[in-house]
Amino acid sequence: MAARPVLQGLVIDLAPLRSGRGFRIVFAVRLISLFGGGFRLVALPMQVYAMTGSSALVASVAVVNGAAGFGGTVLGGLLADRLDRRRLMLVSLAVETLVVGMFAVNTHLPGGPLLGVVYLCAAVNGVIGTMGLIAQQSLVPALVGPDRLPAAGALFAVTAQLGAVAAPALGGVLISLGGVGSGYLATCAIAAVATGAVWFVPPTPAGTAAGSEPALRAVADGLAFVARHPVVRPLLLLGFTQVLFTMPTVLIPEFTDRVLGGDAALAGLLYTAPAAGALLASLTSGWTGSVRRTGAIVPAAVALCGISVVLLGLGRTAVAALAALVLLGCCQAVEEILRYSLIQAHTPDALRGRVNSAWLAQATVGGSLGASLMGGLAAVLGPAAALVAAGALGAVLVGAIALTAPGLLATRGVAPALPDDMTH
């Protein structure tokens, strides 16, 4: 009989899915949208490469999409605090349906697809997709309540990992059978289904705190809240540190070749290992809803991410490398689940849109800078030493952030959001 409570404390908590229709719909929309995005992730670069034969132009489309997405974080955060977040999700998905439909139409033009249309659609999709994601994340606390935020974060983490692993593979099969146009049409259908589903999410009150002040002032107020809050500020700094120093995927091809002496099959396994670790941690995350030293666990998990990267750099066998990357994925999932729940709980509802935009911005900017940092270190030190140096530096910086964040370390459980008088 004792084994049952232990298992209940490990298995992912499904309580948010039982808490009401609203979260179930948002969860389903997120899951199917991730699969639609995975199909587009395969179709778009394949189409651009077939049109141009240039990897540089493929990368340029990704840069346009990423830059537009960064702009969408600012606009999306502001709108999510001024408008009905359900309605913002609805509009974003409807526009995304139209954009992907334009991708499909462009594919079947009599004279062949136009590269200018691809750039335009990629830019619009970057802005709109980010806005919808911010609205989605900001809506969740109102649907599940503060006590179920860790469980909601774990369920979101599962959808992200399933989407990352399964969606591109399914998209590749679909495109190989029916061509790039079929990938766009499938994505368009998925977006249309998601749009219809959002109609059934309960309406939420429109934001008011940012509604009567100029846009720049409202954005500045959100950044000021992040900068001075004793829990939110170090959590975002920890997230930035994690994506800056402990994302080694850019070095996997060189590390596989020069250090492990492996081939493309081994590289594929190494790419998959972090997702497998994250999925394992998410499926055994039931304990995250009842743990008391939440604030101390987050920096410990981020520090372990750094140590995992060090172990990867020190490894000289495929087994050691795979184990290090699985550990990295586990630690990334734990810190993401707990950081999400703490940030949502410590942010007043009137500011959640702008704070979630800061969350996405630090991940986007940190990820881009991290890839450049890893590449630069590898050029100077070699791939193995670069991994050791980056992981060690990341772990040291985590310690420094933790030592200057007593408010975070003292946080126990998922505390309620601050009262409204703390938003200004």
Side-chain angles (χ1 to χ4, degrees):
M1 296 294 292
R4 181 173 296 177
V6 173
L7 289 175
Q8 290 176 344
L10 287 176
V11 175
I12 188 170
D13 186 359
L14 301 179
L17 294 174
R18 298 190 292 268
S19 65
R21 183 185 65 182
F23 182 78
R24 287 196 295 271
I25 295 173
V26 170
F27 176 79
V29 167
R30 178 182 172 87
L31 181 59
I32 63 177
S33 296
L34 284 169
F35 273 83
F39 291 172
R40 188 173 60 249
L41 181 68
V42 177
L44 185 57
M46 289 183 65
Q47 181 181 40
V48 174
Y49 186 77
M51 291 167 60
T52 66
S54 170
S55 294
L57 288 176
V58 172
S60 71
V61 175
V63 169
V64 168
N65 183 262
F70 181 75
T73 61
V74 178
L75 181 60
L78 184 62
L79 292 179
D81 287 337
R82 290 186 167 181
L83 304 176
D84 182 334
R85 290 160 184 165
R86 166 189 168 274
R87 186 173 300 173
L88 187 57
M89 282 181 62
L90 187 63
V91 171
S92 298
L93 284 167
V95 174
E96 185 175 351
T97 303
L98 293 174
V99 169
V100 181
M102 288 179 62
F103 273 124
V105 171
N106 186 51
T107 302
H108 294 95
L109 290 177
L114 302 175
L115 189 59
V117 174
V118 172
Y119 279 113
L120 176 62
C121 291
V124 174
N125 189 72
V127 174
I128 293 299
T130 305
M131 288 171 52
L133 182 58
I134 291 172
Q136 180 191 101
Q137 290 189 168
S138 303
L139 180 63
V140 168
L143 298 176
V144 302
D147 292 340
R148 290 172 174 165
L149 281 172
L155 288 167
F156 273 12
V158 168
T159 62
Q161 298 309 321
L162 287 175
V165 173
L170 291 175
V173 172
L174 178 64
I175 292 168
S176 68
L177 295 174
V180 170
S182 66
Y184 288 139
L185 289 174
T187 304
C188 186
I190 288 172
V193 170
T195 304
V198 173
W199 275 107
F200 299 97
V201 175
T204 58
T208 57
S212 59
E213 57 185 333
L216 290 179
R217 172 66 184 276
V219 172
D221 285 347
L223 294 176
F225 171 81
V226 169
R228 70 172 183 261
H229 196 280
V231 174
V232 175
R233 181 188 65 250
L235 286 172
L236 289 179
L237 287 175
L238 287 169
F240 186 77
T241 301
Q242 190 262 318
V243 296
L244 185 62
F245 294 103
T246 68
M247 301 293 282
T249 52
V250 69
L251 296 186
I252 282 179
E254 184 179 5
F255 185 78
T256 303
D257 178 42
R258 293 182 53 187
V259 178
L260 301 181
D263 55 11
L266 176 57
L269 289 175
L270 295 179
Y271 275 117
T272 305
L279 185 60
L280 174 64
S282 300
L283 292 175
T284 57
S285 62
W287 59 273
T288 58
S290 58
V291 66
R292 306 313 305 165
R293 297 297 302 274
T294 313
I297 292 174
V298 174
V302 180
L304 280 173
C305 288
I307 293 171
S308 301
V309 174
V310 171
L311 293 175
L312 174 63
L314 295 175
R316 293 297 180 270
T317 66
V319 172
L322 287 168
L325 287 169
V326 168
L327 176 61
L328 174 62
C330 287
C331 297
Q332 287 174 341
V334 169
E335 68 88 11
E336 182 178 347
I337 291 168
L338 294 179
R339 272 203 311 131
Y340 172 80
S341 59
L342 284 171
I343 287 175
Q344 304 307 318
H346 282 268
T347 301
D349 186 68
L351 284 166
R352 281 205 178 101
R354 282 164 284 174
V355 171
N356 276 301
S357 73
W359 163 295
L360 290 179
Q362 58 91 29
T364 301
V365 174
S368 298
L369 292 177
S372 300
L373 174 67
M374 286 284 189
L377 286 175
V380 176
L381 304 174
L387 291 168
V388 173
L393 183 56
V396 170
L397 286 178
V398 168
I401 293 169
L403 289 175
T404 58
L408 174 62
L409 297 180
T411 300
R412 295 177 178 270
V414 180
L418 293 177
D420 288 341
D421 62 0
M422 292 293 289
T423 65
H424 299 290

